[in-house]
Amino acid sequence: MTTKLKIHREALLIDGHNDLPISTAKRGPVVASIDIARPQKALHTDIPRLRQGGVGAQFWAPTCPRRR
């Protein structure tokens, strides 16, 4: 195992940018039927890919458009 891979596997990798909330919000009421425990080709995020990439946590910060 390479040193880089060893560090990656031993450290907690936190994904600070994830489009899952906005991607699912755009789908409307269909969001309840999305199962991210299974591969989701139409989305950027699903549990199998998070595990494959070694992601241990997600950090989501909602943003709101400014009023002028």
Side-chain angles (χ1 to χ4, degrees), residues 1-2 4-5 9 15-17 29-30 39 41 43 47-48 57 63 66:
M1 179 181 321
T2 67
K4 293 176 190 177
L5 185 57
R9 288 188 176 166
D15 182 355
H17 176 84
V30 178
K41 292 182 181 180
L43 300 173
I47 301 300
T63 58
R66 277 184 16 196

Side-chain angles (χ1 to χ4, degrees), residues 10-55:
E10 290 178 2
L12 174 60
L13 177 62
I14 300 172
D15 182 355
H17 176 84
N18 190 312
D19 291 328
L20 183 62
I22 192 70
S23 297
T24 54
K26 289 179 181 178
R27 293 170 180 266
V30 178
V31 72
S33 67
I34 298 172
D35 182 5
I36 64 168
R38 298 172 186 252
Q40 297 294 321
K41 292 182 181 180
L43 300 173
H44 293 169
T45 302
D46 56 49
I47 301 300
R49 282 188 280 178
L50 290 171
R51 287 185 175 148
Q52 181 182 13
V55 177

